[in-house]
Amino acid sequence: MNLSKPVNPIRNYAFGSVIAALILLSPVIAFLIAIAAEMLIDLLTVGGTSAVFAVAAGGIGLVLSRKFWRRPVVVHQSKPEPVPGATAIATAPM
């Protein structure tokens, strides 16, 4: 039995393809981030104080939305606890 051979080579090829796509698209993503930053700077210089308030309100809204959109934590009971005073029901003797 050869343990060095992967169980499913398609999974490895898919993972490698995703990594290669991210490496090839990283300059495009960086360029889009730079354009977005330039647009934000232009908005702040042209808009003045009202644009600063709009960006601050958006940031606060993002923080609050992330806080309230969390999934609730489910607490699991480790083991059932017996009720005091209760007796177990046994089968009838034969």
Side-chain angles (χ1 to χ4, degrees), residues 35-88:
I35 289 175
E38 288 289 329
M39 289 172 60
L40 182 63
I41 290 170
D42 289 342
L43 175 71
L44 291 177
T45 55
V46 171
T49 309
S50 62
V52 172
F53 289 140
V55 171
I60 292 171
L62 179 66
V63 169
L64 289 177
S65 68
R66 291 184 60 152
K67 180 180 180 181
F68 290 122
W69 283 351
R70 287 189 188 154
R71 300 174 85 184
V73 177
V74 178
V75 179
H76 297 286
Q77 187 175 0
S78 59
K79 60 181 178 179
E81 299 175 3
V83 178
T87 58

